[in-house]
């Protein structure tokens, strides 16, 4: 029996610090399935709930359950030993990375026990990761910004801000808010990533290294080809928090990167 599949070609808009199964000592970086699965699970849980996530993608907790949907990369780029600055706003931290412009194809497979509803939800969660997600270290600061490739069969991919809003409504809008930054200003991906990396010390808005606290405000570079091209997408738990994040960045002591940007545009 031939299993049903769905393919999702994507590309990196910014350098990705994805590492390897060998850990920090590896001399190269490569795209791998386990981190991608983890990011898809994160968005699945956020929008559709942890129970649905475990039913579809499997779980080792409690009684455990096997995955009803498989994930693999059918086109894997070669390992990269190139190094990029992990803190571009300080020009610091050279680290092995998969370079911007790299493309790959993700394939998900429907296993026999997967219901129609579960298969539909799995595809929605995968598309949410492609539109809102990133990959690798410093991914909350626009490193590892991925974007689905605009092929004829991928007509769900947004090309304008309006289409982005419509796509997110279709895929699921629970538990997150989004804003566009720098739309139509003609900024390149590296400048946008550098800007996203240059935040302020505010645990409530941007998390912290010590104590280790995930950033509730996340940034990624996206491309809306019919609406100005490259820009930043800000993702947060509420519209209010994103407004506070924008205000804090505009008021930072060295705001030469954030001040010239137009007001954030809620999607």
């Amino acid at each position: 029996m031939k299993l049903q599949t769905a393919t999702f070609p994507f590309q990196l808009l910014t350098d990705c610090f994805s590492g390897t199964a060998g850990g920090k000592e590896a001399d190269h970086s490569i795209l791998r399935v386990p981190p991608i699965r983890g990011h898809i699970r994160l968005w699945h849980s956020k929008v559709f709930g942890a129970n649905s996530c475990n039913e579809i993608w499997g779980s080792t907790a409690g009684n455990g359950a096997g995955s009803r949907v498989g994930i693999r990369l059918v086109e894997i780029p070669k390992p990269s030993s190139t190094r990029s600055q992990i803190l571009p706003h300080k020009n610091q931290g050279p680290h092995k990375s998969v370079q911007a412009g790299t493309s790959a194809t993700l394939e998900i497979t429907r296993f026999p026990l997967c219901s129609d509803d579960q298969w539909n939800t799995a595809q929605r969660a995968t598309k949410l990761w492609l539109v809102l997600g990133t990959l690798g270290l410093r991914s909350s600061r626009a490193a590892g910004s991925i974007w689905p490739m605009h092929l004829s069969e991928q007509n769900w991919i947004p090309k304008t801000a309006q289409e982005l809003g419509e796509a997110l409504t279709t895929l699921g809008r629970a538990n997150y808010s989004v804003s566009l930054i720098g739309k139509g200003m003609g900024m390149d991906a590296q400048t946008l990533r550098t800007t996203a990396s240059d935040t302020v010390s505010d645990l409530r808005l941007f998390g912290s290294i010590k104590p280790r606290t995930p950033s509730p405000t996340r940034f990624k570079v996206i491309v809306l080809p019919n609406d100005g091209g490259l820009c930043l997408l800000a993702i947060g738990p509420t519209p209010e928090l994103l407004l506070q994040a924008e205000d804090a960045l505009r008021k930072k002591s060295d705001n030469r990167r954030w001040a010239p940007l137009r007001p954030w545009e809620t999607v």
Side-chain angles (χ1 to χ4, degrees):
M1 178 179 68
K2 185 176 181 180
L3 299 177
Q4 187 175 358
T5 62
T7 58
F8 301 95
F10 67 92
Q11 62 180 325
L12 289 171
L13 299 181
T14 60
D15 297 339
C16 176
F17 305 97
S18 60
T20 72
K24 296 181 179 179
E25 303 306 317
D27 61 357
H28 63 278
S29 181
I30 192 169
L31 296 183
R32 299 169 53 240
V33 167
I36 293 175
R37 178 188 291 272
H39 279 273
I40 294 175
R41 287 183 63 99
L42 182 150
W43 282 103
H44 191 126
S45 294
K46 183 184 290 292
V47 176
F48 304 110
N51 289 338
S52 173
C53 179
N54 291 335
E55 288 175 356
I56 293 174
W57 304 106
S59 172
T60 58
N63 295 328
S67 175
R68 298 194 175 188
V69 176
I71 300 178
R72 71 182 185 119
L73 287 168
V74 294
E75 294 181 13
I76 306 175
K78 295 179 180 180
S80 170
S81 58
T82 304
R83 292 179 177 267
S84 304
Q85 300 294 336
I86 202 165
L87 299 174
H89 64 296
K90 296 182 178 180
N91 197 30
Q92 293 179 0
H95 199 284
K96 53 190 176 296
S97 65
V98 180
Q99 297 294 284
T102 299
S103 61
T105 298
L106 182 71
E107 180 182 86
I108 63 173
T109 301
R110 180 179 181 177
F111 293 155
L113 293 180
C114 182
S115 68
D116 290 344
D117 182 64
Q118 289 173 331
W119 179 237
N120 177 60
T121 302
Q123 292 182 79
R124 289 168 67 188
T126 303
K127 291 175 180 178
L128 277 168
W129 171 65
L130 289 164
V131 173
L132 299 178
T134 46
L135 187 63
L137 297 175
R138 294 289 288 180
S139 60
S140 66
R141 298 294 180 262
S145 293
I146 57 168
W147 194 249
M149 296 177 69
H150 291 271
L151 303 179
S152 58
E153 64 271 23
Q154 303 287 344
N155 57 11
W156 61 272
I157 301 170
K159 300 180 180 65
T160 65
Q162 180 178 339
E163 289 180 3
L164 175 62
E166 293 169 352
L168 294 178
T169 297
T170 299
L171 297 176
R173 275 194 173 269
N175 301 318
Y176 68 88
S177 299
V178 296
S179 295
L180 291 173
I181 308 169
K183 180 170 71 71
M185 296 185 67
M187 300 173 72
D188 61 78
Q190 180 60 26
T191 299
L192 290 167
R193 184 172 92 81
T194 301
T195 300
S197 185
D198 188 12
T199 57
V200 297
S201 179
D202 188 321
L203 184 148
R204 187 177 61 86
L205 296 175
F206 301 107
S208 172
I209 296 177
K210 294 182 180 179
R212 192 70 177 178
T213 307
S215 176
T217 305
R218 304 177 63 88
F219 300 103
K220 73 171 287 185
V221 176
I222 68 169
V223 57
L224 300 173
N226 294 352
D227 208 355
L230 294 166
C231 62
L232 276 178
L233 187 68
I235 306 110
T238 64
E240 292 76 19
L241 187 135
L242 290 181
L243 286 172
Q244 293 168 22
E246 178 184 8
D247 185 61
L249 293 171
R250 289 190 180 279
K251 290 179 178 178
K252 71 190 299 286
S253 56
D254 179 4
N255 66 353
R256 66 186 186 279
R257 294 189 176 94
W258 291 101
L261 297 176
R262 296 168 183 161
W264 296 14
E265 179 182 329
T266 301
V267 177

